[in-house]
Amino acid sequence: MKALQSILLPVAASLVAVVIGGILVAALGYNPVSVYGSLISGAFGNLGNLGNTLTASLPLIIIGLGIALSFQSGLFNIGADGQYWIGATAAVWVGYHFTSLPGWLHMLFCLAAGMIAGAIWAGIVPGLTKAFVGAHEVITTMMMSYIAILFARYLIEGGPMQEKGYIPQSPLIASNTQFPYFTQGFMRSQLSPISMAIAALAVIVAWFLLYKTTLGFSLRSVGLNPRAAKYAGIRVKLHIVLALALSGLFAGLAGAVQMLGVDHQLLDGFSSNYGYTAIVVALLARNNPLAVVISGLFFGALTTGGQNMQIASNVPASLTNVLTGLIIFFVGCERIIPQVIGWYRRRRSLRAQTPAS
């Protein structure tokens, strides 16, 4: 029952959010059936739209895995967007340097650079300050996120990574580092089989790490009760740093995959706030790496379907943000609802046991 409840509650929260979103659409004078129909058509209506949905979902899934890992470790990594930017920046820098390397090796170097940059950005300042001076990771990861984004923008806006004659963008990465796209079916999208394989591998690694390794057990133990974990011999401070570094590693990997598979150069505002949306992805998935895949696909569909919804139904694309906010609200309430139901049942039981006067 507990496992079934953990699946049904997020689904119910999403459905309630969709229903209330439909009521808001109707109140604004639009047809909810037509609006949601255009959203679904824009996300899954043909192979090209499906490819766009998958392309938008991949960074959400990869970043969401890292956030789920940090949440399970009792840490709130709110700065994944900055780690995503810094990982993308490192991957692009390596991508247009070292052009003499073989293509496959150059790709691996780009991916490794993104992962290392993301891990350092989350693990050094937020991780060490949390572990040794007790600085709250919400504040430090958020501050480091702003620094990462502004630093990356400086690099391409008059900085050393700016492409000559263009503002603001970096040079294109070498052609041998760019992931190939599907040549049939998904040809109207930027979906790459390599990007899909990396995301699938990231899901497997995250799940195996959390549930099948000693490190994963230690991270979850620290998240559940740091004092008990310390009493059991687990080095809590080390695992705090590791948890944030691993979370940043996934975000940095997502940035590198986005650069090699979609954008091929660093552009101002490329991220579409993936790092913040991925927080909701992890929450909706209840920090389960396997459920992050479904949650990421859901929000990827909202992103691509929302664009078609705006064109086909003339509904503001910000409605998708309203749906996201409603989902956050109801996911936050999902722990309260069973408590309210339990309180109501106990109250009815007490009334039944009380003799009538």
Side-chain angles (χ1 to χ4, degrees):
M1 272 308 283
K2 191 173 181 181
L4 183 62
Q5 187 183 58
S6 67
I7 297 171
L8 292 179
L9 283 176
V11 173
S14 301
L15 290 176
V16 171
V18 170
V19 170
I20 293 179
I23 294 172
L24 291 175
V25 168
L28 292 172
Y30 300 98
N31 184 342
V33 176
S34 174
V35 169
Y36 280 136
S38 62
L39 188 148
I40 295 171
S41 175
F44 306 107
N46 54 54
L47 287 177
N49 291 348
L50 177 59
N52 290 330
T53 297
L54 292 173
T55 302
S57 301
L58 294 181
L60 293 175
I61 291 171
I62 298 173
I63 302 172
L65 292 170
I67 293 176
L69 188 149
S70 69
F71 282 177
Q72 288 224 33
S73 304
L75 299 165
F76 298 94
N77 180 12
I78 308 299
D81 206 48
Q83 296 145 25
Y84 175 73
W85 268 85
I86 210 70
T89 304
V92 167
W93 187 86
V94 173
Y96 69 81
H97 287 86
F98 312 108
T99 54
S100 61
L101 290 173
W104 64 270
L105 186 59
H106 202 175
M107 282 183 187
L108 291 177
F109 273 18
C110 292
L111 294 172
M115 290 189 289
I116 292 170
I120 290 174
W121 206 259
I124 298 299
V125 174
L128 291 177
T129 55
K130 172 68 176 180
F132 292 98
V133 299
H136 205 291
E137 69 278 5
V138 170
I139 297 173
T140 54
T141 54
M142 182 65 73
M143 290 173 60
M144 293 298 290
S145 180
Y146 286 128
I147 293 171
I149 295 170
L150 293 173
F151 176 64
R153 286 176 175 168
Y154 153 73
L155 292 176
I156 60 174
E157 295 181 14
M161 286 182 63
Q162 178 193 336
E163 186 176 9
K164 293 181 179 179
Y166 297 93
I167 295 178
Q169 66 184 43
S170 71
L172 283 167
I173 60 176
S175 59
N176 63 357
T177 64
Q178 298 176 15
F179 292 164
Y181 300 143
F182 281 102
T183 56
Q184 294 180 351
F186 296 109
M187 60 170 47
R188 290 193 293 132
S189 72
Q190 294 176 302
L191 183 64
S192 167
I194 297 178
S195 298
M196 293 183 66
I198 291 173
L201 181 61
V203 172
I204 295 170
V205 168
W207 176 84
F208 187 84
L209 173 66
L210 276 173
Y211 299 111
K212 298 296 180 180
T213 66
T214 304
L215 174 60
F217 175 79
S218 299
L219 290 172
R220 290 185 289 116
S221 299
V222 170
L224 289 172
N225 193 324
R227 291 185 178 180
K230 184 177 181 180
Y231 182 78
I234 297 173
R235 300 172 65 183
V236 174
K237 292 181 179 179
L238 173 63
H239 284 80
I240 287 173
V241 177
L242 283 176
L244 285 172
L246 287 170
S247 182
L249 182 147
F250 279 99
L253 173 62
V257 169
Q258 184 74 7
M259 289 297 102
L260 273 60
V262 179
D263 293 329
H264 303 151
Q265 62 184 154
L266 191 62
L267 302 167
D268 187 23
F270 81 94
S271 75
S272 301
N273 292 321
Y274 280 135
Y276 299 110
T277 307
I279 296 173
V280 191
V281 169
L283 290 173
L284 186 61
R286 298 178 72 90
N287 303 321
N288 185 312
L290 300 180
V292 163
V293 177
I294 300 172
S295 182
L297 288 171
F298 175 71
F299 281 98
L302 279 182
T303 301
T304 55
Q307 297 170 359
N308 185 68
M309 180 180 67
Q310 184 182 20
I311 297 171
S313 302
N314 200 28
V315 175
S318 56
L319 176 63
T320 58
N321 296 329
V322 174
L323 287 175
T324 301
L326 288 170
I327 290 170
I328 295 172
F329 176 77
F330 286 108
V331 167
C333 291
E334 73 177 40
R335 295 178 182 273
I336 300 174
I337 294 172
Q339 295 177 9
V340 172
I341 294 174
W343 172 83
Y344 178 72
R345 287 177 175 174
R346 289 193 298 271
R347 187 176 177 84
R348 284 191 60 184
S349 177
L350 288 173
R351 283 182 175 179
Q353 293 174 8
T354 303
S357 56

